[in-house]
Amino acid sequence: MEIIVYDRNLYRLGTIENHTSLQWHRKYYECGTFELHAPATEDNIRLLQPGNVIRPKGKDEAAVIRGDQTEEESTLVNEIVRNGYFLPIYFNDRLTGPMFTFNGTCEDAMRYMINRMATVPLLEVAPGIGDATKITFQATYKNVLTYLSKIARYCELGFRVVPDFKGKKMTFETYKGIDRTTKQGTKPRVIFSESYNNLNRAKHTYSDETAKTKIVVGGAGDGADRIYVTVGGGTGFDLREEFLDAKDINKDDFSTNAEYLEALRIRGEQYKAENAVIENIEAEVEAEVNFIYGTDYDLGDIVTVEKAKWNKVLNLRITELCEVYEYGGMYVVPTFGDALPTTINWDN
């Protein structure tokens, strides 16, 4: 695969064709990463400088060379290793600005933060896709990328920055994966299992470490006058209660009591979603066995994963997908479900 290199203003600098390995790690809720190994030639060192942008030919994704970089020369190896992040990494350099309270859709929240932060050169913001998921939160000088990821995870939306090398611009956009599971009947179904010979080296993870079923949200007021909203429920051994202090949601920011109670309820739903049972399967998948990667399924899609030996049939979203290019071949390693139990801390 040919790798095209650009400067940070998206002007083409050259190409690399002699690399020995590329791991192109795509992520649905977060900023993707890459790791590139190539011979330490004069041209490669000149092109692969920190801050430059790389793009595997044929892809509409790109990444910035950033972070730990190495060159090594010995009797056994003469290699350059470059690491970096997909274009959303630029949001990691920005803060949300002075305190604000947001109450609206997740997509609007993302665009609101981007439009109020310090400008990123070449960046434009695309209209939303119409997702109606609501969110309420307050932030003061928080990291923009961190909050984009938090919001994306809550409403199950993916986000990306798409480069336009001809137009010399980058566009932030949201997207939603497609349900391709066996429980739906409108789209072609995608199944990963041993019987389909497309599920290798599987690893299953289950965690109820932070799981909660009932959230009592405490709002404004003190003592007997304090306002409470309850989300969820449960009985017996299945009941897991948690108290959530939400005094940071200012009652005066809402025109009616009903709007304020709804904001508390949304905060409780957010917390409950963050503390659900986490179950995932990570496996090595042949990119062109039974289902074609990029055609039949892609990052963000929900698919059915069957592992008969473990008595598991799960419908899970592909939240991460690592493309590995080595020795002239390519395979993919998807993560079905959340990679790790994740608590979204809205205070950070």
Side-chain angles (χ1 to χ4, degrees), residues 309-320:
K309 291 181 180 178
W310 301 337
N311 195 29
K312 291 292 178 182
V313 179
L314 303 171
N315 295 319
L316 298 170
R317 187 180 300 279
I318 303 174
T319 55
E320 299 186 13

Side-chain angles (χ1 to χ4, degrees), residues 153-172:
R153 191 177 297 276
Y154 171 66
C155 62
E156 298 190 55
L157 277 177
F159 67 91
R160 56 196 171 202
V161 174
V162 180
D164 177 355
F165 294 100
K166 291 183 179 179
K168 301 296 180 287
K169 63 182 180 180
M170 305 179 294
T171 303
F172 170 86

Side-chain angles (χ1 to χ4, degrees), residues 38-41 72-74 76-80:
T41 64
E72 183 178 358
E73 182 178 25
S74 69
L76 298 177
V77 65
N78 181 34
E79 184 179 63
I80 181 173

